[in-house]
Amino acid sequence: MAANTAIRIAEARKVYGSGSSAMVALHDVDLEIPTGRFVSIIGPSGCGKSTLLRLIADLETPDAGSVEVLGGSAADACDGKHVGFVPQSPALLPWLNVLHNVTLPHKVNRGASRKRRAGAADARPMPDMEQLLRAVGLDDAMHKLPSELSGGMQQRVAIVRAMGLQPDVLLMDEPFSALDEFTREALQEQLLDLWDDTTATVVFVTHSVSEAVRLSDQVVVMAPRPGRIIDVIDVDLPRPRRWDRFTSDAFHHYENLIRECLQSAWHSPDLPSAA
Ligand SMILES: Nc1ncnc2c1ncn2[C@@H]1O[C@H](COP(=O)(O)OP(=O)(O)OP(=O)(O)O)[C@@H](O)[C@H]1O
Ligand SMILES: [Mg+2]
């Protein structure tokens, strides 16, 4: 793997079930993501976006092919706390308040920092988590339990929890989907600001074409039955990407490209390997 490649997935296959009920969630997936890139994954529901993210997060193992993260196995990268994961549902611990939920990853498995590889960033001190919570508008929620929060607030806690680890690889599965438009746009901006300050590689799942164009260096388009990558589109727009740019012809050009690609994903015929 080239030194500047953060994630390398080669001929990955994931099948759920067996026999006549076998379901090919991922078929022959090849993907190489250079260090520091912001890559979005988009595609119809059920095309394997979350499955792909879970392979990188070592929450699933491929049935064939390989997944490398930061030059080693996904398991090693996760054990060393190099990988932050914002799951599709927030997965907060219900008995801990917000502040304790977001500081927990720093407290468990403290020895993990010793496993950080040569060449990777050193273990970093915990950032000011209260400040991060305030930055996403959770000032008044810090001492509340998850059950006292709305779905969007819980999602923001999960985002802060992952970002607080300052991971080398940040995996985000539709992190903003439960948020109102105003909060969503504010968080997109904050995410880009935070990402600007790091060398983190981000893999971001979304159903929003404009969100993908706004955030990404590269957009991976997937199709279902079986889940597979049908195109990878480079978004060659200057950064920082501020609001005035979102009405530009270039922005719309990329939106149209991705929409056309998604159309073909929706209408793509089933492959024999889906059986
Ligand atoms: N644990 C599991 N057991 C069985 N089938 C699963 C499991 N997880 C996912 N699948 C199936 O694999 C396929 C891909 O699921 P996945 O969750 O990766 O899709 P997705 O692209 O993230 O969809 P969405 O946009 O709705 O979140 C789906 O058909 C799903 O039913
Ligand atoms: Mg999903």
Side-chain angles (χ1 to χ4, degrees):
M1 181 157 78
N4 63 348
T5 301
I7 297 166
R8 183 166 180 272
I9 300 171
E11 295 178 17
R13 180 177 174 85
K14 182 72 196 173
V15 182
Y16 291 113
S18 59
S20 58
S21 62
M23 149 83 215
V24 183
L26 291 175
H27 168 70
D28 247 352
V29 168
D30 287 307
L31 184 62
E32 202 156 309
I33 301 180
T35 302
R37 285 231 138 180
F38 198 120
V39 174
S40 286
I41 301 176
I42 199 164
S45 183
C47 69
K49 303 180 295 299
S50 296
T51 304
L52 184 56
L53 229 54
R54 288 200 300 268
L55 289 183
I56 303 169
D58 191 42
L59 297 171
E60 305 268 14
T61 46
D63 294 303
S66 61
V67 177
E68 288 175 37
V69 181
L70 303 172
S73 69
D76 281 350
C78 292
D79 286 352
K81 295 192 182 182
H82 296 282
V83 180
F85 184 48
V86 181
Q88 199 163 350
S89 57
L92 303 177
L93 296 176
W95 59 90
L96 292 182
N97 74 22
V98 165
L99 191 56
H100 288 146
N101 259 287
V102 299
T103 51
L104 185 69
H106 293 270
K107 295 175 183 160
V108 295
N109 193 15
R110 284 175 191 267
S113 56
R114 290 196 297 271
K115 295 182 192 165
R116 292 181 88 96
R117 267 177 228 97
D122 289 340
R124 304 167 185 113
M126 177 164 58
D128 183 342
M129 299 306 283
E130 294 191 19
Q131 191 200 325
L132 273 178
L133 287 168
R134 276 193 291 274
V136 298
L138 291 172
D139 322 39
D140 298 331
M142 269 182 227
H143 303 290
K144 291 186 173 168
L145 293 172
S147 58
E148 298 174 275
L149 309 182
S150 71
M153 292 164 84
Q154 292 184 29
Q155 196 61 5
R156 277 181 274 163
V157 177
I159 292 165
V160 169
R161 180 181 55 189
M163 283 180 164
L165 273 180
Q166 299 168 289
D168 298 304
V169 173
L170 179 58
L171 308 172
M172 306 181 88
D173 196 348
E174 300 190 45
F176 302 150
S177 59
L179 303 176
D180 65 273
E181 202 170 331
F182 182 77
T183 309
R184 183 181 185 128
E185 287 169 359
L187 281 181
Q188 287 171 352
E189 195 116 342
Q190 278 167 10
L191 175 60
L192 286 180
D193 285 346
L194 285 167
W195 175 70
D196 268 351
D197 295 340
T198 69
T199 52
T201 307
V202 181
V203 188
F204 185 98
V205 173
T206 181
H207 281 284
S208 163
V209 172
S210 60
E211 181 167 80
V213 176
R214 176 168 189 209
L215 297 174
S216 317
D217 297 312
Q218 212 166 50
V219 178
V220 175
V221 184
M222 294 184 68
R225 298 177 312 276
R228 61 200 189 275
I229 293 174
I230 56 165
D231 211 344
V232 178
I233 295 168
D234 287 318
V235 180
D236 189 12
L237 292 173
R239 295 185 186 271
R241 296 186 187 156
R242 299 295 174 200
W243 284 110
D244 51 340
R245 299 194 195 275
F246 302 146
T247 49
S248 71
D249 289 345
F251 192 89
H252 292 315
H253 161 76
Y254 285 112
E255 281 185 320
N256 291 338
L257 256 184
I258 294 166
R259 280 209 180 90
E260 278 165 26
C261 212
L262 278 172
Q263 286 282 345
S264 56
W266 276 102
H267 298 117
S268 65
D270 294 4
L271 294 186
S273 59

